[in-house]
């Protein structure tokens, strides 16, 4: 990938896609192709073919996806399956048909079995049952990983995939029902502080364990892999640091300055008990995450405060 390459970032308005665009621009890549959802619906095969045929990108980052937290994944499995599978099928196949030199497919650590041995190695894929709350999303993402492998095998393409742990950062979705835990707790604690509510509700038992990565670190890893990695095995992207949801709540409380009580809503799902990826494969290639967790949380809270009107719906 050189500075003149034509690079298509699918999903450039999303958390991961926007960070990839930022990273590429910082690094001097100027020939970037981006299309809003309105201009190009990636679930429509004919439109995707027309776009790839006309633009003929050299490199493609597939960061387009329908994503959400544990509750919305569980509530809308048909939508999560259909949208993510359609995007996956259309973009990967078009990349092959229209001669893309290299493609990176963005997955998620929820593709691994629910009870995978920790830290989770890439080889664990498809060795056990999936977590039920995100089975639909995981199946679509597993299909993407496998499509990359199968297209490489049958057609000799250079398609790779990576599996980041839970992402967070500025520009995240702060919607109370659909968001992931980090933006959800930032918003809940901030609102409880502002209204002097005295308590804030978090979902589940607080015992599940998660590993979080700042969005610019995922973008950095994606660009790094596009430059330095080719191969069939997927690549985990993580930090090696994990927290229980209870510990996470304590960290976010301190950053936001909410001193009230935490109440648990046990009608909401816990999801996977633990999800720590083994990132030694990418570490061995020389890549490391850069943003310490509390710093990332502070940046995300600052972004929430600056753009609160928009996130809170006005
Ligand atoms: O972030 P989250 O939705 O993602 O939830 P998952 C992580 C944990 O935080 C769960 C708890 O145990 C939740 O019960 N939690 C506590 C909360 N309070 C809240 C809250 O207010 N909102 C949310 N959302 N959680 C999703 C998957 O799983 O994350 C996807 O469903 C995807 O497929 C993604 O992989 C990264 O890690 O549980």
């Amino acid at each position: 990938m050189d500075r003149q390459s034509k690079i298509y970032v699918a999903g450039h308005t999303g958390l991961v896609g926007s960070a990839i665009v930022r990273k590429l621009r910082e690094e001097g890549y100027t020939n970037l192709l981006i299309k809003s959802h309105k201009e190009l619906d990636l679930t429509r095969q004919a439109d995707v073919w027309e776009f790839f045929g006309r633009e003929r990108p050299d490199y493609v980052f597939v960061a387009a996806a329908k994503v959400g937290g544990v509750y919305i994944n569980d509530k809308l499995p048909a939508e999560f399956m259909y949208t993510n599978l359609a995007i996956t099928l259309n973009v990967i196949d078009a990349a092959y048909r229209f001669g893309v030199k290299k493609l990176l497919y963005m997955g998620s650590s929820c593709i691994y079995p629910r009870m995978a041995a920790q830290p989770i190695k890439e080889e664990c894929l498809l060795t056990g049952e999936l977590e039920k709350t995100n089975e639909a999303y995981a199946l679509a993402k597993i299909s993407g990983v496998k499509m990359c492998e199968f297209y490489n095998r049958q057609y000799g393409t250079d398609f790779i995939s990576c599996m980041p742990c839970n992402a967070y950062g500025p520009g995240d979705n702060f919607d109370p029902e659909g968001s992931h835990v980090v933006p959800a707790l930032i918003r809940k604690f901030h609102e409880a502080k502002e209204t002097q509510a005295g308590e804030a509700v978090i979902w589940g038992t607080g015992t599940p364990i998660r590993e979080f990565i700042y969005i610019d670190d995922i973008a950095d890893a994606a660009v790094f892999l596009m430059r330095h990695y080719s191969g069939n095995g997927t690549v985990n992207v993580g930090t090696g640091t994990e927290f229980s949801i209870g510990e996470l709540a304590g960290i976010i409380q301190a950053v936001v300055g909410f001193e009230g009580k935490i109440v648990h809503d046990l009608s909401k799902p816990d999801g996977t008990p633990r999800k720590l990826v083994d990132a030694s494969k990418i570490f061995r290639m020389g890549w490391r995450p850069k943003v310490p967790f509390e710093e990332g949380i502070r940046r995300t809270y600052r972004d929430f405060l600056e753009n609160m009107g928009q996130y809170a719906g006005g």
Side-chain angles (χ1 to χ4, degrees):
M1 192 165 70
D2 60 43
R3 301 295 183 277
Q4 282 69 47
S5 304
K6 199 173 198 181
I7 305 170
Y8 172 46
V9 181
H12 78 284
T13 54
L15 189 63
V16 178
S18 59
I20 292 176
V21 168
R22 218 163 36 237
K23 176 76 190 163
L24 288 169
R25 286 195 173 132
E26 259 170 44
E27 302 254 320
Y29 295 93
T30 50
N31 198 0
L32 303 187
L33 266 176
I34 48 180
K35 287 277 162 208
S36 68
H37 182 72
K38 232 177 166 179
E39 292 169 303
L40 175 63
D41 180 347
L42 294 172
T43 66
R44 300 172 72 96
Q45 187 195 45
D47 296 0
V48 176
W49 281 26
E50 192 278 324
F51 168 73
F52 272 79
R54 179 165 35 87
E55 296 289 355
R56 304 238 166 213
D58 299 312
Y59 293 85
V60 175
F61 289 87
V62 189
K66 180 175 178 64
V67 300
V70 64
Y71 176 71
I72 204 79
N73 257 274
D74 197 27
K75 198 170 159 194
L76 308 176
E79 271 178 49
F80 273 80
M81 181 111 192
Y82 173 75
T83 308
N84 288 308
L85 256 186
I87 293 171
T88 300
L89 291 169
N90 293 340
V91 177
I92 294 177
D93 186 66
Y96 154 64
R97 279 174 201 279
F98 296 98
V100 164
K101 289 186 187 140
K102 189 164 182 177
L103 171 146
L104 179 135
Y105 181 79
M106 190 61 66
S108 159
S109 58
C110 69
I111 66 160
Y112 293 115
R114 171 182 162 80
M115 299 312 285
Q118 310 279 324
I120 311 169
K121 290 191 186 307
E122 287 88 354
E123 298 74 45
C124 238
L125 186 62
L126 292 171
T127 57
E129 274 198 33
L130 296 167
E131 156 65 27
K132 288 291 170 213
T133 53
N134 60 216
E135 193 179 16
Y137 179 76
L139 284 168
K141 287 286 165 187
I142 292 170
S143 301
V145 174
K146 286 300 185 187
M147 270 185 85
C148 289
E149 286 181 26
F150 296 151
Y151 276 58
N152 291 346
R153 194 168 90 198
Q154 188 177 340
Y155 302 130
T157 49
D158 188 2
F159 294 170
I160 60 173
S161 64
C162 69
M163 296 302 129
C165 61
N166 288 31
Y168 74 98
D172 210 336
N173 169 15
F174 288 87
D175 170 64
E177 227 188 46
S179 58
H180 290 101
V181 64
V182 169
L185 296 194
I186 286 179
R187 182 170 174 175
K188 284 178 181 177
F189 294 162
H190 174 79
E191 289 177 353
K193 181 179 84 170
E194 291 299 294
T195 58
Q196 298 177 337
E199 62 179 45
V201 179
I202 72 168
W203 297 350
T205 58
T207 57
I209 299 173
R210 295 288 182 273
E211 179 189 16
F212 300 96
I213 185 164
Y214 191 69
I215 197 61
D216 288 357
D217 278 333
I218 297 188
D220 191 51
V223 173
F224 174 90
L225 289 170
M226 191 63 118
R227 285 203 195 113
H228 302 294
Y229 176 75
S230 285
N232 279 332
T234 192
V235 183
N236 288 337
V237 179
T239 63
T241 310
E242 57 181 352
F243 304 98
S244 73
I245 298 305
E247 287 168 332
L248 172 76
I251 295 169
I252 298 181
Q253 260 193 297
V255 169
V256 171
F258 165 62
E259 288 169 353
K261 207 174 126 204
I262 288 181
V263 179
H264 293 263
D265 175 358
L266 298 177
S267 72
K268 292 289 195 304
D270 265 348
T272 309
R274 188 177 172 205
K275 219 174 2 172
L276 173 71
V277 297
D278 180 339
S280 51
K281 186 169 170 182
I282 192 168
F283 287 178
R284 276 197 305 274
M285 294 180 218
W287 179 86
R288 284 283 184 290
K290 297 186 183 71
V291 182
F293 186 62
E294 288 188 26
E295 170 59 22
I297 293 290
R298 276 194 291 276
R299 289 188 204 173
T300 311
Y301 182 45
R302 213 176 305 135
D303 167 71
F304 174 77
L305 291 175
E306 282 163 13
N307 299 293
M308 202 161 45
Q310 169 198 333
Y311 293 143

